[in-house]
Amino acid sequence: MNLVSPHRGYPLERIEGNSGSMETWVGTFDRIAKDLGDLRDRAHRVAELPGVGDAISRARSDAQVIAGPVRSGIVDAQLLSSVLSAYADAYSAHAVPANRMIEEIRNAHAAWESAAGEAEQAGLKALWSSRSGPDDEATKANDDARDAMATADAAKKALDELWTSWETLYTSWDEAYDKALSSLVSGASVYLTNEEKALLDQLLAANDPAAVWQLWNANPALRDALADHYPDIIGNLDGIPYDVRAEANLRRLKELHNRLQFLSEPQKSEVAALWDEVEKKNGKLISFDPDGSEQTTAALWYGPFDAANVSTLVPGMLSKVNGIGEFGKSARDLIDGTGDAAVAWFGYDSPEVPEEPFMDRAQNGAPALRSFLLGLDAQPGSRTINVIAHSYGSTTAALAIGSAADGLGVDRFITVGSAGLPDDAQVLANLQSPDAPRIYATTSANDFWAPVGKVTGWGHHTDPASLDGVTTFDSDGGVDAAGEPLLATPGHSAHSGVNFPGQNAPGGYLLKGSESFYNVREIVRTGEPGTEPGGEGSEKGYWDLVAEGMSQGGYGLGY
């Protein structure tokens, strides 16, 4: 039985290929390109030999004659290697799993056909019974028909889901195949000279973002080739200038957005969210990795790249790139009317609810944030660097910033609704060293989960407000400098929501109009909160009422 997919009309047949064989040929072409590159370098050295005389002249002439064809051979070998390597990756990522699904689809199709036939027979029996059979027999026949139709519908739904997944894989493979053919025809190879390859190797081996910055700026003639051919590397390498990274990542995002309808969730909603921020909100995509982590990671920059005051917003538990727009709005509101810049940094795999008590996600995410902050500090010029972290984001940020006594160049570390800082003695000592950033902290009296997270967490019990020299600020209402009322943060959320599912109210920690956000903005702008603790307009919250109940001999809140 020859089946075709219902939406795209692809034939359900095996995609032929052998990943191992393709990788072997990639290695062969790479060796040929390297050997030819060495030969070309020797020819160039011969062509530059000093001296006079027929022998020297002939040698220089022969070397020049050799150099031309050798360079052409290098281009051809690297073209074949790069095209075959890209296609081999696509074959493994898309064709192999598509091939695995063929038998499953055939079985599901047969199951649906069988169920549909049984449903048709049950329907005919129900129709016959309703006309000529006893009432109880007609009732049973109708029930059997409904059950059979439900079974057929479920089989059809299962088949449709398989077809959708298979079509997505087949489409991706088909596009990769077309791209490979097009590259071979046009000669659009990933061709790098030996000098360009050497620079790429040096960039990847650099000890820190400052070294990356120096290498990049010391080799202006080699940079375009690397950015053109390796946007996935250049777009995510800390120390590379942000305008170069943004351009490289935008190209990759456009490629995905152009085939948005063929992407599966959650990538479809993630690409759409990033596209909205880039196209409509003037965000610059300074990092983007849709493949390398458990979650898609990304960072959006708002404001000028040469801003003298830059804030990085770090989200907490359950933060995914498809929700980056909320943090993007906070970033834009933070810099509105200023010449500052802000970054929505979704650069780590945030924890799910069962993972929040543990340090694993923070330990995995802190090196990425550390590298990003070092890269920010390595850019030319002086600037004030602020880190604003919500919930578990403060755990991750503290681990990164506290990895060095100088705080990685961070000037202000602002925690909102912290889930607890790491208990590591060296991290805490670094956070309180003379060169550490100034630390600020707030926890709303309505926030049920932040105090619970500090108590129940394994390895992150430390309340930032307990550290020496920390400036605490309110998030429980109050008024701004003009006397206008500010919202109390009603729960643990950064933007909207209270503490439990189904609850919703404005005033999140990073939502414009809340006392928390007003204070964060003033800290970024002036170094000090904008409201007085317990000042005019402050409201009592959940934990205030608990404390009152305890002080009166009860258990708080009437129980």
Side-chain angles (χ1 to χ4, degrees):
M1 176 175 51
N2 296 322
L3 301 178
V4 295
S5 65
H7 307 298
R8 307 280 292 182
Y10 296 139
L12 185 68
E13 57 188 24
R14 180 178 175 79
I15 303 169
E16 296 300 331
N18 186 308
S19 298
S21 176
M22 285 187 273
E23 290 299 333
T24 299
W25 279 107
V26 168
T28 299
F29 290 132
D30 282 342
R31 286 194 299 275
I32 292 172
K34 181 181 182 303
D35 291 345
L36 288 175
D38 292 341
L39 177 60
R40 187 200 62 176
D41 291 343
R42 290 189 178 93
H44 283 169
R45 287 195 292 271
V46 171
E48 294 170 357
L49 284 173
V52 295
D54 290 343
I56 291 292
S57 297
R58 283 197 300 273
R60 285 198 294 255
S61 177
D62 289 344
Q64 290 171 348
V65 170
I66 291 171
V70 166
R71 181 180 178 87
S72 177
I74 294 171
V75 173
D76 291 341
Q78 290 192 336
L79 170 63
L80 291 168
S81 172
S82 62
V83 170
L84 190 55
S85 177
Y87 177 69
D89 289 342
Y91 182 86
S92 297
H94 308 301
V96 171
N99 287 342
R100 291 197 194 107
M101 293 183 68
I102 290 176
E103 193 62 29
E104 188 178 6
I105 291 174
R106 286 175 176 162
N107 291 338
H109 183 86
W112 168 67
E113 281 192 328
S114 175
E118 290 177 6
E120 182 179 1
Q121 292 300 316
L124 291 173
K125 183 176 180 181
L127 179 61
W128 179 261
S129 297
S130 66
R131 292 182 176 180
S132 59
D135 289 344
D136 56 345
E137 185 177 319
T139 300
K140 184 179 184 307
N142 282 330
D143 291 342
D144 290 345
R146 279 194 295 269
D147 291 344
M149 291 174 67
T151 300
D153 288 343
K156 183 63 164 62
K157 181 179 179 182
L159 177 61
D160 286 344
E161 289 175 352
L162 288 172
W163 273 124
T164 298
S165 298
W166 184 84
E167 282 189 324
T168 299
L169 291 169
Y170 193 100
T171 298
S172 298
W173 164 80
D174 191 50
E175 289 175 352
Y177 183 80
D178 289 345
K179 184 176 181 179
L181 291 179
S182 176
S183 296
L184 288 172
V185 171
S186 65
S189 63
V190 180
Y191 167 71
L192 295 181
T193 65
N194 287 351
E195 293 84 0
E196 290 161 351
K197 277 189 172 182
L199 176 57
L200 181 61
D201 290 341
Q202 291 170 33
L203 288 170
L204 293 173
N207 290 329
D208 53 41
V212 170
W213 173 267
Q214 292 173 356
L215 282 166
W216 185 261
N217 284 282
N219 295 277
L222 308 179
R223 299 185 308 214
D224 287 348
L226 299 189
D228 287 344
H229 297 312
Y230 292 96
D232 55 330
I233 295 176
I234 300 304
N236 291 288
L237 189 58
D238 292 314
I240 300 294
Y242 291 119
D243 57 339
V244 175
R245 291 173 62 172
E247 183 178 347
N249 289 322
L250 180 58
R251 292 208 319 268
R252 299 179 68 213
L253 181 66
K254 280 183 176 178
E255 290 176 0
L256 288 173
H257 191 264
N258 286 340
R259 53 189 184 91
L260 188 65
Q261 60 180 320
F262 304 118
L263 302 180
S264 57
E265 289 294 352
Q267 194 173 70
K268 181 182 293 185
S269 59
E270 291 165 347
V271 168
L274 291 171
W275 186 258
D276 185 68
E277 291 300 302
V278 169
E279 284 296 294
K280 299 178 182 177
K281 311 295 173 50
N282 203 31
K284 289 97 168 179
L285 191 59
I286 59 169
S287 72
F288 178 45
D289 186 357
D291 303 312
S293 304
E294 293 178 37
Q295 303 169 16
T296 291
T297 57
L300 287 162
W301 181 294
Y302 302 86
F305 285 131
D306 60 354
N309 194 345
V310 181
S311 300
T312 299
L313 282 69
V314 183
M317 181 178 69
L318 300 176
S319 56
K320 303 291 192 294
V321 164
N322 53 16
I324 200 170
E326 287 186 321
F327 276 81
K329 186 175 189 311
S330 294
R332 295 192 303 276
D333 289 338
L334 192 66
I335 64 174
D336 186 34
T338 72
D340 297 345
V343 180
W345 187 84
F346 279 52
Y348 77 119
D349 295 328
S350 66
E352 301 295 320
V353 174
E355 298 172 310
E356 190 280 336
F358 306 100
M359 286 293 296
D360 299 52
R361 291 303 188 186
Q363 290 165 344
N364 291 336
L369 182 58
R370 171 188 166 88
S371 179
F372 173 77
L373 293 172
L374 286 173
L376 182 58
D377 194 44
Q379 303 293 312
S382 60
R383 65 184 50 77
T384 299
I385 298 176
N386 315 290
V387 172
I388 304 159
H390 171 246
S391 186
Y392 194 89
S394 69
T395 311
T396 303
L399 200 59
I401 298 169
S403 66
D406 64 358
L408 311 181
V410 174
D411 297 287
R412 300 166 184 149
F413 177 28
I414 307 167
T415 72
V416 295
S418 175
L421 305 190
D423 300 331
D424 184 279
Q426 187 60 59
V427 169
L428 295 177
N430 286 341
L431 289 174
Q432 297 174 95
S433 71
D435 296 324
R438 185 174 172 185
I439 301 177
Y440 306 78
T442 189
T443 299
S444 169
N446 288 309
D447 187 338
F448 178 83
W449 292 111
V452 170
K454 296 184 189 76
V455 172
T456 60
W458 291 31
H460 56 94
H461 298 96
T462 305
D463 186 341
S466 69
L467 300 183
D468 294 338
V470 169
T471 301
T472 59
F473 60 95
D474 275 6
S475 49
D476 303 319
V479 296
D480 64 16
E484 295 297 321
L486 297 166
L487 294 169
T489 294
H492 186 61
S493 175
H495 296 96
S496 62
V498 187
N499 288 304
F500 302 100
Q503 298 177 326
N504 195 37
Y509 284 110
L510 298 178
L511 186 72
K512 183 179 180 180
S514 70
E515 183 183 22
S516 171
F517 184 79
Y518 177 76
N519 281 322
V520 168
R521 194 173 191 271
E522 287 301 299
I523 291 167
V524 167
R525 195 173 67 86
T526 69
E528 299 295 338
T531 66
E532 292 293 327
E536 180 185 351
S538 294
E539 303 173 1
K540 292 182 178 180
Y542 175 90
W543 294 110
D544 293 324
L545 297 175
V546 170
E548 284 186 6
M550 294 293 288
S551 67
Q552 294 169 10
Y555 293 95
L557 296 182
Y559 53 89

